[in-house]
Each structure stands twice: as structure tokens, then as C-alpha cells.
Amino acid sequence: MPVMATLMSRQHLLTYIYLLVYISLSSGVILYNKWVLSTLYFNFPFPITLTMIHMAFSGGVAFFLIRVLKVVAPVKMTIHIYVTCVVPISAFFAASLWFGNTAYLYISVAFIQMLKALMPVATFLVAVTLGTERLRCDVFWNMVLVSVGVVISSYGEIHFNVIGTVYQVSGIAAEALRLVLTQVLLQNKGLTLNPITSLYYIAPCSFVFLFIPWYILEKPEMEAPHMQFNFWIFFSNALCALALNFSTFLVIGRTGAVTIRVAGVLKDWLLISLSTVLFPESKITGLNVIGYAIALSGVVCYNYLKIRDVRTSQLQITPDESEKELLMEKKADDDVSSNKETLWNDSFSDSHSHSHSHFDEEAPLMYSSRISHLGRKPA
């Protein structure tokens, strides 16, 4: 018994460490991006360039891990799947990062976090539109509550900026489309990507999509003689964004959707408080806090409904149904063994399938700055 108690306490301690690392990285990446992009601090007002650095670094690391170290094997990607699935997902991923990072130039970190409460609203609307989720009254009224809270918070914003708000909301819409398309396009084809393979396929494609607006909007301005480029600043920034992506996956796999949602709420409040200390120019009003509290209550209710639905669906599986599923799985395994072909490599399929289910459940509420993401998002 003492040995078991010691093991349990170590497991709990390790879980808390994982959560602390996730919250620290998630908050740190957002604050770091704000510091780099802000004209009042590091003064590198080129959000597309910063996003392209993240994509190039992440794609390069993923290539090194897969092709050189062979940590995981690449999935069997066909040209058809790449063009019809990876390309559109990469396009919306690039757009969400571009718009989200551009918002830092116009509005405060605190107000951005308040606007991000609209993420479940956008995801729900896109899912209903594309037919992956049905319109439910209880979820609908939660979405109304979240929207009302964000409107109140926006009304109380002292330094309200229309351009920054439009950029942020557009980024949220693009991220919602990416999340739903990932489910519709990839998962329906039986293709599952872990964080490394996601970066391997999606990061280079997103880089190409970002190149066009970069060439038109930012390249001419970057030729100015006063533009500064510090290698270690950008290297550490990209490294933090990459670490955030991996830590999000590890935390979800270890703790599950419930814990990560609670941690996300705590992280948002912590980030809002820290941003006002680190960036004194951003002010929070009482109306900001009231509006965000209303929106957050709607998000918490939405989380509860989603978790309840998952548990209900699990309880509805009868023994007969479970036996049928096991027989189907065994038959599928036999077919795979005989044909020696599958959509993704056996080297990581079993080890990541349970973790990925938690990842999908969390995805609608994990913004790219959270999970880049790819799944959630360097910010």
C-alpha cells in the first residue's frame, strides 16, 4: 500500500508538472508574440513573417524527426488526400495564424483573450452548417450567452479598435473552419495525424499559402534600413511555439478533456492579469470583466454539455454492440495483416489513438495560440 500511494503521488505530481508547463508555454507564447510584434517593444510589426518563421521551423524539426531520426514513420499520403484534405486545412490554418497574429498590432492581449471566448460559437455554427453537428436548443442558448458576454466586454473596451477586432474574429472563423474540416476530411478517411506528422504535412503547405500575402504586404516594408532581425529572439520564439504544440498533445493524452478545459479557463484569467502587468498600456474596465465572466460561464456550460454527451454515448454501448465492435476490429486487423497496407503506420497508431480522441474533443475550444493547431496553434 505505501508503494502504491507513492506511485500515485508521483503520477499526480507529474500530471501537475505537465499542466504547469502547458499553462506556462501557452501564456508565454502569446505574451512573447505580443512583445515581438508590438511597436512599443521589440518593434517587429510583421505578423506574416513571424508566422512563416514558425511554420518553417516547425516543418524543419518535423522533417528531421521523421526522415533523419525516424522517431515516427510518415503516413501513407496519396496525392489525392493531400490535395483534397491537407491543402484546404493548411489554407485555413495559415489564415487563422495570420489574422490572429495581426490582431496583436491593434488590440491588447486581454481583449484578444476575451474575443477568443467566441471560439466555441464559431465552431458550433460551422459544424451545424457543414452537417457534422445538429442544432440543439441547450447548446444554442449557451452560444447566445457567450456572444452577449463578448459584446458587453467589447463595449467596455477602452481602446476598442475595429481593424484589430475584425482580424481577431476572422482568425477565429478560420480556425473553426480548420477544426471542422479536419474532422470531416481527415478523420472520415481514417487518417489520423499526431503532432509530428501534422507539422510534417501541414506546416510546409501553410508556409506556401502565407508567402503570397507576405510578398505583397510585408516584403516591401522589410527592405527598409531600420528593420531589425535578432536570430536568437526569433529562434527562441519559434522553439516556444513548437514546444507548446507538443505539450498540448501530451497534456490532453495524460489528463483528458475535462482537466485541460479547466486548465484553459485558469490560463485565460492568468493571461489577462499578466498582460495588464507586462503591458501597462492595456487597461481593463469593470465592464470588460463582467462581460468576459458572462461569456466564460457560457463556455463552462458548453464544456459540461460536451463532456456529458461523450459520457452518455459511452454508456449507451451495450455488451452486444461492444462484442460486434470487437469482431469488426479483429476482422479489420486481419485484413490489414494480410494486405500489409493501412492508411497510417502501425508504429504509432495504437499508441496515439486514445490520446487523439481526447484531442478531438478538446479541439473546438483550443485556439491556435493554444494548440497550434496543429490543434490549437502557436499564436
Side-chain angles (χ1 to χ4, degrees):
M1 290 298 292
V3 175
M4 289 296 294
T6 304
L7 288 174
M8 288 297 293
S9 62
R10 287 181 179 177
Q11 290 296 319
H12 283 110
L13 178 61
L14 191 58
T15 300
Y16 289 133
I17 292 174
Y18 276 27
L19 285 171
L20 180 61
V21 170
Y22 161 72
I23 292 174
S24 301
L25 283 172
S26 183
S27 303
V29 167
I30 294 173
L31 295 172
Y32 202 169
N33 284 352
K34 173 66 175 179
W35 180 81
V36 170
L37 294 168
S38 176
T39 54
L40 298 177
Y41 299 96
F42 186 71
N43 191 22
F44 186 81
F46 303 108
I48 305 176
T49 306
L50 185 66
T51 306
M52 290 176 71
I53 292 173
H54 288 179
M55 293 298 97
F57 182 79
S58 299
V61 171
F63 180 86
F64 183 77
L65 292 174
I66 291 175
R67 294 298 182 183
V68 180
L69 297 182
K70 301 187 184 301
V71 176
V72 296
V75 301
K76 292 184 178 179
M77 181 71 66
T78 65
I79 296 177
H80 176 72
I81 292 178
Y82 191 86
V83 172
T84 59
C85 300
V86 175
V87 170
I89 290 172
S90 300
F92 285 112
F93 182 59
S96 69
L97 295 177
W98 168 20
F99 296 148
N101 282 337
T102 304
Y104 290 121
L105 299 176
Y106 301 96
I107 54 181
S108 66
V109 171
F111 187 47
I112 286 174
Q113 292 306 117
M114 295 175 189
L115 289 175
K116 284 179 183 178
L118 288 172
M119 191 66 223
V121 178
T123 307
F124 176 71
L125 292 176
V126 172
V128 170
T129 303
L130 296 182
T132 61
E133 191 166 337
R134 60 186 178 86
L135 185 63
R136 290 167 41 185
C137 187
D138 53 355
V139 176
F140 174 78
W141 286 114
N142 272 321
M143 300 300 98
V144 171
L145 183 63
V146 172
S147 302
V148 169
V150 172
V151 169
I152 293 174
S153 180
S154 302
Y155 184 77
E157 176 65 17
I158 296 177
H159 303 294
F160 182 82
N161 184 284
V162 175
I163 297 176
T165 303
V166 170
Y167 267 117
Q168 184 58 46
V169 174
S170 300
I172 291 171
E175 178 69 0
L177 283 164
R178 183 193 71 84
L179 291 170
V180 177
L181 283 177
T182 299
Q183 179 183 1
V184 172
L185 298 178
L186 285 182
Q187 293 175 15
N188 287 354
K189 293 182 182 294
L191 188 66
T192 305
L193 301 178
N194 64 25
I196 300 176
T197 51
S198 294
L199 292 173
Y200 180 74
Y201 291 108
I202 294 176
C205 190
S206 297
F207 182 92
V208 173
F209 276 111
L210 289 167
F211 180 82
I212 299 173
W214 172 81
Y215 189 84
I216 298 172
L217 299 176
E218 294 189 0
K219 182 180 179 295
E221 296 183 19
M222 293 184 68
E223 294 174 353
H226 61 80
M227 199 276 293
Q228 60 174 330
F229 188 93
N230 187 310
F231 171 80
W232 293 110
I233 292 292
F234 292 104
F235 174 77
S236 59
N237 183 261
L239 185 63
C240 289
L242 179 67
L244 171 62
N245 186 72
F246 290 150
S247 70
T248 303
F249 180 81
L250 291 174
V251 168
I252 293 173
R254 185 174 185 84
T255 65
V258 179
T259 306
I260 196 69
R261 289 174 192 271
V262 175
V265 172
L266 294 175
K267 183 262 298 181
D268 288 339
W269 282 109
L270 175 65
L271 189 54
I272 290 173
S273 303
L274 274 177
S275 66
T276 57
V277 175
L278 297 176
F279 306 109
E281 68 277 4
S282 52
K283 306 291 183 182
I284 296 179
T285 65
L287 209 53
N288 279 144
V289 176
I290 293 172
Y292 185 61
I294 294 172
L296 208 57
S297 65
V299 172
V300 170
C301 292
Y302 174 80
N303 290 346
Y304 169 76
L305 291 174
K306 295 294 290 184
I307 294 166
R308 187 191 64 182
D309 291 345
V310 171
R311 288 177 177 172
T312 301
S313 64
Q314 291 173 346
L315 292 174
Q316 285 176 348
I317 299 178
T318 62
D320 292 337
E321 290 174 336
S322 300
E323 186 176 350
K324 289 178 182 178
E325 288 183 1
L326 288 173
L327 290 173
M328 291 288 288
E329 289 177 5
K330 186 179 186 305
K331 184 179 183 302
D333 290 340
D334 293 339
D335 291 341
V336 169
S337 298
S338 61
N339 294 330
K340 292 186 178 181
E341 290 184 357
T342 184
L343 283 173
W344 48 302
N345 296 279
D346 295 334
S347 59
F348 61 86
S349 61
D350 293 335
S351 63
H352 288 291
S353 59
H354 181 66
S355 299
H356 191 82
S357 66
H358 288 311
F359 185 83
D360 294 336
E361 176 59 26
E362 176 58 20
L365 292 180
M366 293 185 64
Y367 194 65
S368 56
S369 60
R370 62 204 9 188
I371 84 60
S372 199
H373 288 91
L374 298 158
R376 259 133 8 220
K377 98 175 173 202

